[in-house]
Amino acid sequence: MIDARGFTCPMPVAMVQKEVKKNAPAELVVLVDDRCAVENVTRFGTSMGYQVSVEQEGEDFRLTLKK
């Protein structure tokens, strides 16, 4: 799990990109609190072949990337 709450773009995407390149996880959960980060992480995940689902949890968003 990557907790990118409190970070603005491009940091959440960079954090996800680093994890994907390092470990190539089949599933990755990312927590963000910025709508722009939701869009950018979703775009990146899709470009890397992941199915991305988004759930809003109060002020935060949980993105689940699955291969």
Side-chain angles (χ1 to χ4, degrees):
M1 176 185 290
I2 294 176
D3 186 350
R5 292 175 292 185
F7 293 96
T8 57
C9 281
M11 278 306 298
V13 175
M15 294 165 76
V16 172
Q17 187 175 33
K18 181 178 177 184
E19 180 65 20
V20 167
K21 287 185 176 182
K22 182 178 177 185
N23 297 317
E27 182 171 320
L28 179 62
V29 174
V30 184
L31 300 176
V32 297
D33 57 3
D34 178 66
R35 193 166 291 280
C36 179
V38 172
E39 294 170 11
N40 292 335
V41 170
T42 298
R43 191 176 307 119
F44 173 76
T46 302
S47 76
M48 297 300 291
Y50 287 92
Q51 295 268 338
V52 182
S53 62
V54 180
E55 297 173 39
Q56 187 164 0
E57 299 175 343
E59 297 292 311
D60 300 334
F61 299 90
R62 174 184 296 265
L63 288 80
T64 305
L65 287 70
K66 291 184 182 179
K67 281 250 176 168

